[in-house]
Amino acid sequence: MTLFDLTGRTALITGSSGGLGLAMARGLAQSGAQIIIHGRNHDKLEAARHALSEEGHQVLTTSFDVADEAAIEQALKALKDEGFSIDILVNNAGMQLRRPLIEVELDQWEKVINTNLTSTFLMGRNVARQMIERGQGGKIINIGSLMSSVARSTVGAYTASKGGVRLLTQSMAAEWAEHDIQTNAIGPGYMITEMTKPLADDPKFNDWLINRTPSKRWGVPEDLVGTVVYLASPASSYVNGQIIYVDGGMLAVI
């Protein structure tokens, strides 16, 4: 057994038409996995599929609302009917809302919670059912955040959702570990993506981040690849219910 070899495994990565999800999908493919990328924007999804295929990777696409139970069930059934068994699930799809809590409307709160937390539950539950039925174990990797453990002003809904992801990950591990399913999470630090570009473009915030982070830089999506491959591979077969922060050391210092 090669510890980090994913040959013969199929990985579904939600929210992977760009950003962190695409980088993780590429990393899993480079380690031998057949990947299923997911997104709601058809043009972005097709562009990502084309780029990965040109690199020589086995890649499929799927598109559905990760917070819609019926849509999830339909998509997973379609993949199963086509002969694809998901060995690795990366729950990456998510959204941010920057607004003081006192100004957050209920529908905005619910959208963030549903997109970031409820979707992780629905995807994890439905894929775990298939894994348990097959009896061959599997890997579920949830994407948390620095805000899975700490808070900042104006991102209260996001913080609540990502804190929930951390404890949901532990709950999944508690219930599914006996089926040889390892459920863990990654907590990215501040990564340069479309979602964080407004922060990176703000000189005051950028200076604060560089000075606050021991590594003295923003993260890039590729910084997550080693961790996601580790958690998807046999190397982590006795690691369960953990969150690994990939944050340049930010949480380690005051």
Side-chain angles (χ1 to χ4, degrees):
M1 177 181 67
T2 303
L3 285 180
F4 300 99
D5 185 12
L6 302 179
T7 301
R9 298 290 186 174
T10 298
L12 169 60
I13 308 94
T14 66
S16 50
S17 61
L20 304 184
L22 180 57
M24 289 188 286
R26 178 176 279 111
L28 293 170
Q30 289 170 342
S31 293
Q34 173 178 258
I35 55 173
I36 305 170
I37 61 172
H38 159 272
R40 301 293 301 280
N41 183 309
H42 174 77
D43 291 340
K44 283 187 64 178
L45 189 61
E46 182 57 24
R49 183 203 66 75
H50 179 74
L52 291 166
S53 296
E54 286 288 297
E55 295 168 16
H57 303 307
Q58 297 182 64
V59 55
L60 303 167
T61 63
T62 185
S63 182
F64 56 89
D65 183 350
V66 293
D68 184 325
E69 183 175 22
I72 290 170
E73 292 175 352
Q74 182 178 4
L76 293 180
K77 182 180 184 301
L79 289 169
K80 184 179 179 181
D81 289 345
E82 292 171 15
F84 299 105
S85 298
I86 298 168
D87 304 295
I88 302 158
L89 170 66
V90 182
N91 280 313
N92 172 70
M95 66 168 292
Q96 176 63 284
L97 173 69
R98 292 187 174 89
R99 178 168 293 187
L101 278 171
I102 202 168
E103 298 176 8
V104 175
E105 302 293 338
L106 178 59
D107 63 333
Q108 295 172 323
W109 171 272
E110 290 177 338
K111 185 175 182 180
V112 174
I113 297 297
N114 288 340
T115 302
N116 295 351
L117 179 58
T118 303
S119 70
T120 300
F121 158 67
L122 291 173
M123 288 296 300
R125 181 198 65 185
N126 283 40
V127 170
R129 284 173 175 169
Q130 292 186 1
M131 291 176 173
I132 292 169
E133 181 182 335
R134 289 200 309 274
Q136 298 175 1
K139 303 282 191 173
I140 296 175
I141 304 164
N142 300 325
I143 303 303
S145 165
L146 289 176
M147 278 66 194
S148 292
S149 288
V150 296
R152 280 183 59 82
S153 62
T154 74
V155 290
Y158 181 84
T159 300
S161 69
K162 292 300 186 178
V165 165
R166 178 172 61 86
L167 289 176
L168 177 60
T169 298
Q170 295 176 339
S171 297
M172 289 174 169
E175 296 195 16
W176 301 336
E178 66 180 289
H179 301 286
D180 194 26
I181 298 171
Q182 290 86 55
T183 307
N184 293 288
I186 300 174
Y190 283 96
M191 302 278 169
I192 293 287
T193 65
E194 289 181 18
M195 193 163 70
T196 59
K197 190 175 185 302
L199 297 178
D201 289 342
D202 180 341
K204 183 178 179 181
F205 187 91
N206 184 68
D207 288 346
W208 171 84
L209 184 138
I210 298 301
N211 291 322
R212 176 68 174 76
T213 305
S215 294
K216 300 299 181 186
R217 68 173 177 87
W218 285 80
V220 293
E222 289 72 23
D223 286 323
L224 299 180
V225 170
T227 304
V228 76
V229 169
Y230 165 65
L231 292 177
S233 74
S236 58
S237 63
Y238 201 58
V239 178
N240 226 328
Q242 305 302 309
I243 181 167
I244 299 176
Y245 290 99
V246 183
D247 66 351
M250 179 173 277
L251 283 181
V253 299
I254 297 176

